[in-house]
């Protein structure tokens, strides 16, 4: 068990470009969460999957953001037409059942120039 | 509106002494609380949790205290070690209402001085 992995670890993109991040959860975990963390803030909830179903989305998740978890395994988070305000650390976490002590991945740091 | 507040951005403690990190919350629907530790370039790591049916939970050097009437919790680390230097996040959830996503505070940077 290698824990939650995220790819890429760093991404620099120009404003207006699309980016996609990947998260591979711990294999037996059926819940997968995406959070965003900006400088000086704690992680903020974006969206959550139970198996392949996306059960909840935060108001932070604008129409430019979309997340998928095909077959209930890995998940992708896509941001279209990136803006400078999207620059942040994007964190993925996974857990089993109702357990809340999610295991976090190392994050993907996005910089929009 | 910050539902989980960590009012001390930083804290310095000498090695061997007690570290006390504080957290306040405003949402009375929160009934499950967690502390995470975060090192640079890593994701947060779960430390300890407490349900609202308890007022204390202990795990080794880490103890979390919950005061529901004051909507306040604290994390005690005894004795503090240099490896404890990290950012500590308090998080809360309304587990009984089925609302599982966590709401985090802004974090407190703990520095343990040898």
């Amino acid at each position: 068990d290698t824990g939650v992995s995220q790819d890429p670890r760093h991404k620099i993109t120009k404003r207006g470009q699309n980016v996609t991040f990947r998260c591979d959860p711990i294999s037996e975990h059926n819940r997968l969460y995406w959070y965003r963390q900006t400088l000086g803030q704690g992680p903020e909830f974006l969206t959550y999957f139970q198996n392949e179903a996306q059960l909840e989305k935060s108001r932070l998740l604008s129409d430019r953001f979309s997340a998928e978890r095909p077959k209930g395994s890995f998940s992708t988070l896509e941001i279209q037409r990136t803006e400078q305000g999207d620059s942040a650390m994007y964190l993925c976490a996974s857990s089993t059942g109702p357990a809340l002590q999610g295991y976090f991945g190392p994050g993907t740091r996005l910089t929009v120039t | 509106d910050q539902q989980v507040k960590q009012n001390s951005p930083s804290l310095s403690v000498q090695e061997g002494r007690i570290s006390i990190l504080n957290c306040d919350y405003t949402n009375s629907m929160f009934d499950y609380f967690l502390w995470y530790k975060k090192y640079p370039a890593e994701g947060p790591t779960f430390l300890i949790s407490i349900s609202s049916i308890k007022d204390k939970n202990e795990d080794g050097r880490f103890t979390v205290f919950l005061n529901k009437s004051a909507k306040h919790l604290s994390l005690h680390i005894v004795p503090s070690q240099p490896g404890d230097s990290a950012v500590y996040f308090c998080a809360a959830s309304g587990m009984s209402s089925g609302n599982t996503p966590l709401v985090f505070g802004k974090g407190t940077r703990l520095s343990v001085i040898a």
Side-chain angles (χ1 to χ4, degrees):
Chain A
D1 177 10
T2 57
V4 179
S5 61
Q6 292 187 245
D7 184 68
R9 294 291 305 274
H10 303 273
K11 178 71 177 178
I12 300 173
T13 190
K14 291 186 178 179
R15 189 174 52 187
Q17 298 293 305
N18 298 345
V19 294
T20 300
F21 310 139
R22 177 180 170 123
C23 170
D24 287 90
I26 295 172
S27 58
E28 65 270 23
H29 286 187
N30 62 344
R31 292 192 172 198
L32 187 147
Y33 304 82
W34 284 99
Y35 289 83
R36 181 175 72 184
Q37 184 179 14
T38 53
L39 199 62
Q41 303 294 318
E44 296 172 293
F45 169 73
L46 291 178
T47 189
Y48 132 67
F49 292 84
Q50 181 159 312
N51 301 313
E52 66 275 9
Q54 189 173 17
L55 295 187
E56 189 167 343
K57 293 194 285 188
S58 159
R59 286 171 295 176
L60 292 176
L61 213 66
S62 76
D63 291 344
R64 296 183 298 105
F65 288 69
S66 63
E68 293 182 342
R69 192 183 182 197
K71 302 177 184 176
S73 55
F74 70 92
S75 176
T76 58
L77 178 68
E78 181 184 15
I79 310 174
Q80 296 183 328
R81 305 181 303 281
T82 52
E83 301 173 356
Q84 286 187 317
D86 297 331
S87 295
M89 175 75 82
Y90 289 84
L91 292 162
C92 175
S94 69
S95 67
T96 54
L100 294 182
Q101 45 266 42
Y103 295 86
F104 280 82
T108 294
R109 179 166 296 285
L110 173 66
T111 302
V112 181
T113 61
Chain B
D1 179 31
Q2 197 81 16
Q3 297 186 70
V4 177
K5 299 178 185 178
Q6 294 178 257
N7 291 320
S8 299
S10 62
L11 175 68
S12 288
V13 171
Q14 278 199 310
E15 182 180 6
R17 307 293 283 266
I18 184 171
S19 295
I20 300 176
L21 296 96
N22 293 303
C23 178
D24 297 291
Y25 61 97
T26 59
N27 190 336
S28 57
M29 297 298 290
F30 288 151
D31 56 8
Y32 195 74
F33 305 90
L34 306 89
W35 285 93
Y36 283 84
K37 178 169 72 173
K38 187 179 184 304
Y39 293 119
E42 294 183 13
T45 302
F46 170 73
L47 265 182
I48 192 168
S49 63
I50 189 167
S51 162
S52 60
I53 61 173
K54 293 185 174 182
D55 54 19
K56 176 183 174 181
N57 189 26
E58 192 171 353
D59 183 2
R61 296 187 298 115
F62 301 92
T63 302
V64 56
F65 295 92
L66 175 62
N67 183 333
K68 288 186 293 292
S69 60
K71 293 191 175 68
H72 176 84
L73 60 155
S74 60
L75 174 68
H76 293 211
I77 306 173
V78 182
S80 301
Q81 299 173 353
D84 296 330
S85 297
V87 178
Y88 289 78
F89 291 100
C90 171
S93 176
M95 213 175 150
S96 60
S97 64
N99 181 16
T100 58
L102 298 173
V103 179
F104 283 82
K106 292 186 178 183
T108 296
R109 181 176 302 278
L110 173 66
S111 299
V112 179
I113 304 161

